[in-house]
Amino acid sequence: TNNGIKTKARADIVPVIMPIFQQSAGAGFTNADADSDGIRRRIFLVHSYKDNWFGQLVFRPLLHEFGNPEVELYPRKIIVKNAQIKDKQKTLTIPISSEGAVLLDWPHKNYNDSFKHISFYFVYMHDQLFDDLIHNVQIGISRNYFYGIEEADQIINLDTQARNLKKAIMNGEEPQEKVGEYRLLRDHCLAQVNALLGLQLDTGLLEYVTAILQDPDLDNDIADQYQLFKTEIPVFFDSTTGIFENLTAIRENRLAGLDGSFCIIGQTNTGSTDLGANPFETAYPNIGTHASLVNMLINGKFILELSPLWSVLISLFVGLLLVIGSQNMHPSKATALGIGVGVGIIVIAILFFVATGKYLAMIPLAGPVLLSFISVSFIRFFGAEKEKGFLRSAFSHYLSAEVIKQIIANPDKLKLGGEERGMTAIFTDIQGFSTLAENMRPVELVAMLNRYLTGMSDIVLELGGTIDKYEGDAIIAFFGAPLDMEDHAKKAILAAVRMKRKEKELNQQFLGENILTMPIKTRIGINTGQMVVGNMGTDKKMDYTIIGDSVNLAARLEGVNKRYGTYVCVSEYTKDAAGDSFIYRRLDRIRVVGKAIPIRIFEVVEEKGILDTNTEEALLAYETGQTFFEEKKWKKALVYFERALKLNPEDGPSLRFIATCNEYIKNPPPENWDGVYRMDQK
């Protein structure tokens, strides 16, 4: 009954393959149009043609399954009255759009996992194997394999009855309800075949034939015939049993459980092009569209599409709140807020749909509003980034990347002031730089020095250190600020070790290019302790630097290298804080100017696991000599220092302590000598 529904009238009807159409109980249109974006979201249940109404491909047979109930058509709904669904009588109210289409409630899983699928191959093979089975029974009867067996004749009779009944149903001579009787005949036929094969007639036949062949008076022609029987009997029964087992497997594993199912026949093979896009998959078999509709109608769960006006009002309201709420926000935070709100709206719309079954078209209408907001936020963001880029460019030549990062994040750091914290300072200086510079032109000297300072500075920055300043050929740097760094002492020593390796590499280049006539030798001093770090100077000109006694000690340790002929000297504070990743050796205990308590200093030799056996033996001899030296056993100490020097002829500390031992042997120090070397110079 049409109560004012308006749907697109179709211009023509194109029937399917006529032999199939003529055998059908009815017909429905197959059209399943996609939306303008190519996505299939909805489908029409009815169409009109010349004032006649036609049902959709699966809607029409479903109505037959429902008992052909009365259908009422309205502008926004279709009512199916008193439908017989799953042994219950229900009235379905199907919501439709103003154009007459219903929104599809797609299954949550993909197509293959949503419905039961049976390849047409198994349907075809089922009937083919059944025919082969009956054919074999007929052969067995003709060859007297089943002589006197009633089951064989019953099988042929049952099959004949089934085939005649099928033909009558297909020709319309018998009603469709007779299909159940046809199935019972076939099932009974298979049961008889099973019983026949269970008699194991082949065993008796073979025994009978074998007994005849043993007759010595048997005619040769007859013997040949029985010999042929003996060969054919196992082949026949094995073949028949195999056909029966394959047929049974298909019925039990492939075709079982289909009673009461709604079956749709269509193409879904790998090479099929009968595919379309739905909201969840870009290549969804079109047959699944009809299956989804069946599933929705049987379960009676429908999607109600709300008016687009709701989407417009909500989008405008949310967009206005976003603009107002993000006025004073950082651009990046405002952009994140916009994206978050956009995602939140979609999530809320999905939850609303799941809870109520009401679909609100939020994405297409909310998208432009949110996109505009995000675009404005991005413009603000890139404006701020341009300003940050200027700061990076302006300060990158003077400060480390981490310092610049903190200044950009917090411009207040440009103000004067400092903080006290535990850090490690590192001072470097080129030995004999004045002599080296005298033999070079200023331009060459600057070029060489820039290559040297670049290589050394990169090592500091790569390990997270900060370059404080350059004083000619000297580098002053620190680890542990502006970012906290638990292993700042270890990083500082590692930087020194890598600097010495870099120095060898640079010397090969400089000497190979005839830039230098003598190699560069870098002396490094490192100390760990409390230091003050921050911006110091004036409001117009400031420097991010470190100050304190611990800084001064690092500078003095760089100079201490001259006394011992070493190149990396660290305090006991640094050694203790850095851990056991490096190889050290004792030098002296020293007392710096202005300090009463002496400190132990060490030379950093190398990272652990790198030294060769000769160097390790030299260090062991040196350490033994150092122990005797501090015990005032000068002669014993001298023996071990000389042994170390023999193993390493250029070992500066061994030379130093050999000279000291010789001096103390001739002129022993006072009885109250405590082994502490006093540094009189800074």
Side-chain angles (χ1 to χ4, degrees):
T1 303
N2 182 18
N3 294 293
I5 185 174
K6 293 181 180 181
T7 184
K8 184 189 295 183
R10 292 295 171 174
D12 197 2
I13 292 178
V14 180
V16 295
I17 302 170
M18 290 307 297
I20 297 177
F21 185 71
Q22 290 169 346
Q23 296 293 337
S24 66
F29 61 85
T30 60
N31 304 66
D33 299 328
D35 290 348
S36 58
D37 59 357
I39 305 297
R40 186 171 286 112
R41 299 183 179 88
R42 46 183 61 79
I43 196 169
F44 287 88
L45 295 183
V46 293
H47 273 313
S48 63
Y49 174 68
K50 293 184 178 181
D51 297 328
N52 293 310
W53 290 92
F54 296 86
Q56 194 268 347
L57 176 67
V58 297
F59 184 49
R60 185 63 192 88
L62 268 178
L63 291 177
H64 178 78
E65 285 291 311
F66 292 167
N68 290 313
E70 182 182 353
V71 179
E72 295 181 351
L73 308 177
Y74 293 91
R76 297 289 296 183
K77 61 185 176 182
I78 295 176
I79 297 178
V80 181
K81 287 190 172 183
N82 302 320
Q84 196 69 27
I85 305 175
K86 297 180 180 178
D87 299 327
K88 293 182 180 179
Q89 199 172 67
K90 298 179 181 179
T91 294
L92 297 179
T93 300
I94 307 170
I96 59 175
S97 66
S98 58
E99 297 176 344
V102 60
L103 275 174
L104 286 168
D105 185 11
W106 296 95
H108 297 167
K109 298 179 180 178
N110 61 33
Y111 173 74
N112 289 330
D113 296 331
S114 298
F115 309 103
K116 185 172 183 178
H117 307 274
I118 299 174
S119 172
F120 187 77
Y121 167 81
F122 296 109
V123 179
Y124 169 78
M125 285 304 300
H126 174 275
D127 286 359
Q128 186 65 46
L129 289 171
F130 200 101
D131 290 345
D132 292 345
L133 192 63
I134 300 301
H135 178 70
N136 273 25
V137 173
Q138 291 173 334
I139 291 176
I141 292 173
S142 67
R143 295 181 180 177
N144 291 323
Y145 293 161
F146 305 133
Y147 181 77
I149 307 299
E150 295 182 359
E151 285 85 349
D153 294 331
Q154 290 177 1
I155 290 169
I156 301 303
N157 291 334
L158 288 170
D159 178 66
T160 301
Q161 293 178 49
R163 292 176 187 274
N164 291 336
L165 180 57
K166 176 182 177 181
K167 184 177 180 180
I169 295 172
M170 297 296 290
N171 291 335
E173 299 169 3
E174 293 285 353
Q176 292 275 341
E177 288 73 14
K178 288 280 189 175
V179 171
E181 183 180 335
Y182 164 75
R183 291 177 59 189
L184 287 175
L185 287 170
R186 285 173 66 109
D187 290 345
H188 189 34
C189 183
L190 284 177
Q192 292 295 93
V193 172
N194 187 36
L196 181 64
L197 294 175
L199 296 175
Q200 297 182 342
L201 298 174
D202 54 333
T203 303
L205 287 171
L206 287 173
E207 291 176 353
Y208 173 73
V209 171
T210 301
I212 292 176
L213 289 172
Q214 291 175 352
D215 184 357
D217 299 326
L218 187 66
D219 182 79
N220 290 335
D221 292 338
I222 296 175
D224 291 341
Q225 186 67 34
Y226 274 96
Q227 189 65 44
L228 180 63
F229 284 162
K230 187 176 182 180
T231 303
E232 290 180 345
I233 288 170
V235 175
F236 170 80
F237 279 94
D238 288 345
S239 172
T240 305
T241 301
I243 292 172
F244 178 79
E245 290 175 349
N246 289 337
L247 177 60
T248 303
I250 289 177
R251 292 171 68 87
E252 293 178 351
N253 301 330
R254 300 293 181 175
L255 305 182
L258 294 181
D259 287 347
S261 299
F262 191 98
C263 299
I264 305 173
I265 300 174
Q267 186 181 16
T268 60
N269 58 291
T270 304
S272 173
T273 58
D274 190 22
L275 304 172
N278 69 14
F280 309 103
E281 294 187 39
T282 57
Y284 194 83
N286 286 333
I287 190 175
T289 303
H290 305 292
S292 299
L293 178 59
V294 172
N295 188 59
M296 186 174 69
L297 291 172
I298 291 177
N299 292 324
K301 295 182 179 180
F302 307 107
I303 302 172
L304 177 60
E305 187 172 13
L306 297 178
S307 171
L309 181 61
W310 284 103
S311 297
V312 174
L313 293 176
I314 293 174
S315 298
L316 291 176
F317 177 72
V318 172
L320 181 62
L321 288 181
L322 280 174
V323 172
I324 295 174
S326 64
Q327 284 293 321
N328 298 320
M329 276 190 179
H330 187 275
S332 58
K333 292 182 179 179
T335 301
L337 174 65
I339 295 173
V341 170
V343 173
I345 289 175
I346 296 172
V347 171
I348 292 172
I350 293 173
L351 294 176
F352 178 74
F353 166 68
V354 172
T356 66
K358 297 178 180 179
Y359 173 68
L360 184 63
M362 182 61 64
I363 298 176
L365 294 172
V369 175
L370 295 175
L371 182 61
S372 299
F373 166 76
I374 294 172
S375 298
V376 172
S377 299
F378 266 112
I379 291 173
R380 292 171 55 196
F381 174 79
F382 285 120
E385 283 299 306
K386 185 176 181 181
E387 182 178 348
K388 292 178 182 179
F390 172 77
L391 288 174
R392 290 191 186 97
S393 177
F395 290 102
S396 61
H397 300 292
Y398 311 103
L399 303 178
S400 71
E402 292 299 334
V403 176
I404 297 172
K405 183 178 179 181
Q406 286 208 359
I407 290 174
I408 290 173
N410 183 9
D412 289 341
K413 287 187 175 289
L414 286 174
K415 296 179 181 179
L416 292 175
E419 61 175 320
E420 185 176 5
R421 63 198 307 176
M423 300 192 311
T424 298
I426 177 170
F427 282 70
T428 78
D429 188 44
I430 297 178
Q431 174 182 307
F433 180 72
S434 299
T435 303
L436 185 146
E438 288 176 357
N439 299 321
M440 299 180 67
R441 293 186 302 162
V443 174
E444 294 173 343
L445 178 64
V446 171
M448 182 277 297
L449 191 58
N450 284 340
R451 287 173 63 180
Y452 167 82
L453 293 175
T454 298
M456 299 300 177
S457 300
D458 286 347
I459 293 172
V460 173
L461 296 176
E462 286 169 3
L463 291 170
T466 299
I467 303 297
D468 185 333
K469 62 177 68 70
Y470 301 103
E471 293 182 353
D473 60 299
I475 301 174
I476 303 173
F478 52 87
F479 290 80
L483 300 179
D484 290 330
M485 185 184 295
E486 293 184 1
D487 58 346
H488 51 81
K490 180 179 178 180
K491 290 286 182 64
I493 295 179
L494 184 58
V497 171
R498 291 183 181 179
M499 283 179 175
K500 295 303 293 182
R501 295 175 188 164
K502 185 67 177 179
E503 176 189 274
K504 293 180 181 179
E505 179 184 328
L506 290 172
N507 279 330
Q508 289 180 352
Q509 295 175 11
F510 293 152
L511 294 172
E513 297 170 15
N514 295 320
I515 295 175
L516 295 177
T517 57
M518 55 184 294
I520 289 175
K521 295 183 179 180
T522 305
R523 291 192 292 247
I524 303 172
I526 304 174
N527 184 45
T528 301
Q530 291 298 114
M531 306 174 190
V532 176
V533 60
N535 293 301
M536 301 173 196
T538 69
D539 289 333
K540 294 182 178 181
K541 184 174 177 58
M542 61 183 70
D543 187 18
Y544 189 78
T545 188
I546 51 174
I547 59 173
D549 288 342
S550 295
V551 180
N552 296 336
L553 179 57
R556 291 171 184 172
L557 291 180
E558 181 274 312
V560 165
N561 284 296
K562 300 177 185 177
R563 169 179 171 82
Y564 298 98
T566 56
Y567 292 98
V568 182
C569 184
V570 302
S571 68
E572 60 182 288
Y573 311 126
T574 300
K575 175 181 177 294
D576 293 342
D580 59 354
S581 298
F582 305 94
I583 296 175
Y584 308 89
R585 66 168 160 178
R586 292 177 291 170
L587 294 177
D588 254 333
R589 288 191 300 138
I590 64 172
R591 183 180 291 111
V592 298
V593 177
K595 298 292 181 180
I597 301 176
I599 63 168
R600 169 74 69 179
I601 61 174
F602 297 84
E603 178 194 11
V604 177
V605 181
E606 185 50 277
E607 289 184 86
K608 280 190 174 180
I610 294 180
L611 293 183
D612 56 72
T613 303
N614 185 75
T615 304
E616 289 179 349
E617 291 178 1
L619 288 176
L620 181 61
Y622 172 88
E623 286 296 328
T624 304
Q626 185 65 242
T627 299
F628 285 129
F629 180 83
E630 294 185 357
E631 292 174 355
K632 302 181 183 180
K633 299 175 181 179
W634 322 119
K635 292 184 179 180
K636 288 185 177 182
L638 183 61
V639 172
Y640 284 98
F641 286 136
E642 288 176 343
R643 184 180 300 173
L645 186 63
K646 184 177 180 181
L647 291 169
N648 184 6
E650 297 182 359
D651 186 40
S654 294
L655 286 170
R656 178 66 190 180
F657 282 100
I658 287 173
T660 304
C661 286
N662 286 326
E663 181 182 346
Y664 285 171
I665 290 171
K666 294 179 181 178
N667 302 301
E671 287 295 327
N672 62 350
W673 179 80
D674 57 4
V676 175
Y677 170 69
R678 179 179 178 82
M679 293 182 61
D680 297 323
Q681 297 179 348
K682 295 185 179 182

